[in-house]
Amino acid sequence: MSRFLVHRLFQAAVLVALMSFVCYALIGLMPGDPIDLLLSSDPRLTPDDVARLKAIHGLDRPLLERYLAWLGKALTGEFGYSRLYSQPAAAVLWPRLGNTALLMGISLAAAALLALPIAVAAAARAGSGFDRAINAVCFAGISVPTFWLALILILVFAVQLGWLPAAGLPMARDPGLAERARHLVLPVATLTIAAVGGHVRYVRAAMVEALGQDYIRTAHAKGLHPRRVLWRHALRNALLPYVTILALDCGALVSGALVTETMFGYPGMGKLIFDAVMGNDFNLALLALLLVTVLTVACNLLADIAYAALDPRIRQR
C-alpha cells in the first residue's frame, strides 16, 4: 500500500505540473492582453510606453520562460495581483473558496445521505411500483434546469410564503449561525435536488448488479439476515463505482456552481472564475483554475485509497 501511495503521489505531482503549464498557456491565449487593455483605456500611451510596460511585466518573453518565472513565484506563494479587485489574487480567492466549500460540501453530503437509503430500497424492490416511481422522480430531478428550480424555490418559499430569505448570504456584518443557516437553505436545497437523482441512479444500478452475484446467493444460503446481506455485503461492493462519482463531484467543491451562485447572489468560486475570465483577470483566473485542478487530482487519489478500504482484493493486488 505504501508503494502504491508513493507511485500515485508521483503521478499526481507530474499531472499537476503539466496541468499548470496547460492552464498558463490557455490563459495566455485569452484575447485582451492587460497592457492592450491599458492602452485602450488611456489613448495618451505611446507604442514605446506599451513596449516598456510589456518588458517590465515580462510579456515580451517566450511562453516557457514566462511560465518558469511564474512557477518560481507561485512556489513561494506569490500569485500576483488581481486586476479586477486591486488586491493579491490569493486574498481575493480564499474567502470565495470558503463560501463555495461550505455550500457545495453541505449539498454533496445531503445528496449522498439521501441517495444511499433511497437507492438501496429501490434496488431491493427492483421492478416493483416503488422502484418505477423512484426512477421517474430521479429522471424528473435530473431533467429540471437548475436555474428554473432555483426560481421556483425563491418564488414559493421566499416571495409567497416568506419563510426563507432569497439571498445566499446575510447582509449583516456579523450574522449568527442560525441566520447564516437560514440563508443557505434554498441554495443547498437547489443543489441537493439537482444532484440526488443522479446519485440514486448510480447506486441503484450498482446495487442491482451486486445483488445478482454468486456471493449474495451464498450469503442467503448460509442463513444471514436479509438486511445484513443487503447493507453489509451488497452495498459495500456497490459503493465502489459510487466513490468514483463522489470523487468527480468533489471538483465542484472548489469550482462552484455558477448558475446557483448567480441566482442566489452567493459570492462563491463559480461566479469568481466566470468574472475573472470575462474580465481578463489573468492572475486570478489562473490561480482559481490551478486550485480546482489540484483538489480534483487530490480527490481522485483519495478515491483510490477508498477503493482499497472497501475491497480487500484491491489491497492484495
Side-chain angles (χ1 to χ4, degrees):
M1 193 66 182
S2 300
R3 181 183 298 177
F4 166 77
L5 287 177
V6 171
H7 181 65
R8 286 308 309 271
L9 285 172
F10 175 75
Q11 288 181 333
V14 172
L15 179 60
V16 168
L18 290 175
M19 286 304 300
S20 68
F21 177 74
V22 171
C23 290
Y24 187 89
L26 291 177
I27 292 292
L29 293 175
M30 288 173 54
D33 186 277
I35 306 302
D36 295 333
L37 294 175
L38 182 62
L39 176 62
S40 63
S41 63
D42 188 355
R44 293 174 299 176
L45 289 177
T46 64
D48 292 337
D49 295 330
V50 173
R52 186 173 64 256
L53 286 172
K54 288 191 175 185
I56 291 174
H57 294 284
L59 296 177
D60 59 340
R61 290 182 286 175
L63 175 65
L64 183 59
E65 186 177 345
R66 282 185 283 147
Y67 166 73
L68 292 176
W70 170 85
L71 182 62
K73 293 182 179 179
L75 292 176
T76 63
E78 175 59 46
F79 297 99
Y81 272 73
S82 167
R83 189 181 73 86
L84 292 178
Y85 298 92
S86 300
Q87 298 179 32
V92 177
L93 184 139
W94 298 132
R96 302 294 187 95
L97 177 61
N99 291 338
T100 289
L102 178 65
L103 175 64
M104 302 300 291
I106 295 175
S107 303
L108 185 61
L113 291 175
L114 288 173
L116 287 177
I118 294 174
V120 170
R125 302 168 178 83
S128 65
F130 175 78
D131 182 36
R132 288 193 293 270
I134 291 296
N135 281 327
V137 172
C138 290
F139 277 122
I142 295 171
S143 304
V144 170
T146 307
F147 73 90
W148 183 86
L149 179 60
L151 283 174
I152 293 299
L153 292 179
I154 291 173
L155 180 63
V156 173
F157 294 100
V159 177
Q160 294 183 352
L161 298 177
W163 292 351
L164 297 168
L169 280 181
M171 299 299 295
R173 179 172 297 179
D174 190 17
L177 183 60
E179 183 64 18
R180 184 158 188 175
R182 288 184 68 249
H183 282 76
L184 282 173
V185 169
L186 290 183
V188 167
T190 301
L191 293 173
T192 301
I193 294 172
V196 73
H199 288 208
V200 170
R201 294 284 298 165
Y202 279 114
V203 178
R204 180 202 169 276
M207 280 291 297
V208 169
E209 181 180 358
L211 289 171
Q213 299 297 317
D214 291 339
Y215 67 87
I216 296 295
R217 287 191 289 270
T218 302
H220 283 298
K222 291 169 62 177
L224 294 180
H225 194 280
R227 186 173 300 174
R228 179 181 176 86
V229 174
L230 189 66
W231 290 94
R232 181 69 182 273
H233 296 276
L235 180 60
R236 183 169 183 175
N237 288 276
L239 284 178
L240 286 174
Y242 185 54
V243 166
T244 303
I245 302 302
L246 289 178
L248 294 176
D249 283 350
C250 281
L253 290 175
V254 224
S255 59
L258 173 61
V259 174
T260 304
E261 291 175 0
T262 302
M263 295 300 298
F264 291 98
Y266 191 81
M269 286 289 293
K271 190 70 166 60
L272 181 69
I273 294 175
F274 178 79
D275 290 342
V277 172
M278 296 303 295
N280 294 295
D281 193 340
F282 290 6
N283 290 331
L284 185 57
L286 181 58
L287 176 59
L289 293 175
L290 184 61
L291 183 61
V292 172
T293 300
V294 170
L295 290 184
T296 302
V297 172
C299 289
N300 280 275
L301 178 61
L302 293 176
D304 287 341
I305 298 173
Y307 291 157
L310 290 169
D311 192 343
R313 294 173 298 178
I314 296 176
R315 290 199 298 271
Q316 293 299 323
R317 287 198 298 266

